[in-house]
Amino acid sequence: MRSYQNNPQLNAQRALVRSTDESVSQALSGYRPKVAVTASGGEQYTDTNTTSAGQPTSILRREYHGINAPRSAGLTVTQTLFNGQQTANKTRAAESQVSGAREALRLLEQTVLLSGATIYMDDLRDAAIVEVQRSNVRVLEQTLKQTRDRFGVGQVTRTDVAQSEAQLAAGQTQLLAAEATLTTTEANFRRIIGSEPQALAPGSPVDRFLPGSLRAAVDLSLIENPNVTAAMFGIDVNYLQVKVNEGALLPTVSLQASVQQSYESTLTTFRSFGASAAAQLSVPVFQGGAEYSLIRQSKENLAQQRLVLEQTRDQTRANTVTAWGQLVAGKAQVASAQAQVDASEIALTGVRREATVGQRTTLDVLNAQQALVNARVALVTAQHDRVVASYAVLNAVGRLSPQVLNLPTSVYDPSVHYHQVRDSWVGVRTPDGR
């Protein structure tokens, strides 16, 4: 839960999605008018000598010279009426890019949640192994004391004492190694979760959220896995880019209206006002061939993206089958490890009783004790692997999310920012006030 809210990599990806949202507003600007205001002012010197016909036999000469201060202000509005559907296709392509960015965010969210669940179970496993090893050391210390007492009354030999001492030293080494592993896990817990591991509740599998069969899991992963959906949106983007490039071959129609007010534009004109409105048609005939190359290039990009989708589906199918197989194996390993623990406990009890009547040696008891420790460690590890495998399957099918897990946390909704900026015409502040 904390990792979902505070993970810096996840927050960076959310910022990237918000940045991608702006591409839709930029594409929609093609539908909107463009307004420009111009103004000028200054001084100019004019020295003009003109001639004109006067009477049939005379020519009039006039001279104009002097300094004036021309000033003008104008407003021009341009509206594109048709551009080969380029604006419409750019808008749809931008929307597909936003959808693809959201799927990339969902993929990272799943990765973060899986990492959080894994490190949580790692800490539980390693803490349990430390307790198993610590309990083993206490038992071996008691066994060494009993062996020394029996050696003192001549029931066992010095060899039995040495074997107990060696086994205790080995148990202490295993305890130190387990504690070192737990320290490393706790450091990674702080890095991923963002807090110290304190009073962790036992972990449980999420089988209730999983499909009922492997076939159903594979079918669901090919629909909901964010890698697959992101690749599908990538196809949409590339297809629409082909349409955008093809639109460059079509005519462009625009409407332009302008007004201008001028003062002292010449020595003889004190004020003038003008207004105009015109429709413009531009038909591309040949632009050097670059437009045709772009169309061919975008078609190759589209073909490549379709192959990427097939590759992604194959990889997703393989990942789902692998995760499902690990889950099935994990369930069997837990049952097997539990049976091993039960049998090892019975065996240890029997060996101890037989040792008290001289039918077993001290080494037999030590070996039975180590077998029980190994069985308990194997059980803890199998329980850890079984829970993590269930999260891995949920991740593979694309359903590892706060909503599915019912996490008590606020869920980040990328559509909120999208709707805040989609139809924004002006303004430089982001919705959060920056």
Side-chain angles (χ1 to χ4, degrees), residues 221-222 225 227-228 311-320 396:
S221 68
L222 297 179
N225 186 285
N227 282 314
V228 175
Q311 179 184 4
T312 303
R313 282 174 172 165
D314 291 341
Q315 186 63 55
T316 300
R317 184 182 294 106
N319 292 342
T320 303

Side-chain angles (χ1 to χ4, degrees), residues 146-315:
Q146 293 173 354
T147 303
R148 285 173 175 170
D149 292 341
R150 295 175 66 191
F151 174 72
V153 296
Q155 294 181 352
V156 296
T157 66
R158 179 60 187 167
T159 301
D160 294 311
V161 175
Q163 290 173 339
S164 297
E165 291 174 343
Q167 195 68 21
L168 175 59
Q172 290 171 337
T173 299
Q174 292 172 348
L175 174 60
L176 292 173
E179 290 174 340
T181 301
L182 178 60
T183 299
T184 302
T185 301
E186 289 175 343
N188 289 327
F189 189 100
R190 287 189 294 270
R191 176 179 60 84
I192 296 173
I193 304 297
S195 64
E196 297 289 340
Q198 296 178 348
L200 301 183
S204 59
V206 289
D207 293 356
R208 60 191 181 278
F209 302 126
L210 300 179
S213 64
L214 173 58
R215 182 180 182 84
V218 171
D219 292 341
L220 185 63
S221 68
L222 297 179
I223 298 173
E224 296 193 14
N225 186 285
N227 282 314
V228 175
T229 52
M232 294 173 66
F233 284 120
I235 289 179
D236 293 340
V237 171
N238 282 274
Y239 172 78
L240 291 166
Q241 189 58 49
V242 173
K243 295 301 180 182
V244 170
N245 292 334
E246 288 176 346
L249 301 178
L250 299 177
T252 300
V253 180
S254 62
L255 179 64
Q256 186 177 81
S258 62
V259 294
Q260 184 167 357
Q261 178 73 55
S262 303
Y263 294 92
E264 299 185 48
S265 58
T266 67
L267 287 174
T268 59
T269 304
F270 174 73
R271 183 180 66 84
S272 64
F273 174 81
S276 66
Q280 296 180 343
L281 171 65
S282 175
V283 180
V285 178
F286 183 71
Q287 304 171 65
E291 67 277 19
Y292 299 106
S293 177
L294 286 173
I295 293 172
R296 295 193 301 269
Q297 183 183 50
S298 58
K299 287 181 177 180
E300 293 295 344
N301 291 338
L302 175 59
Q304 185 259 350
Q305 186 61 40
R306 285 172 174 161
L307 294 174
V308 168
L309 174 60
E310 291 303 315
Q311 179 184 4
T312 303
R313 282 174 172 165
D314 291 341
Q315 186 63 55

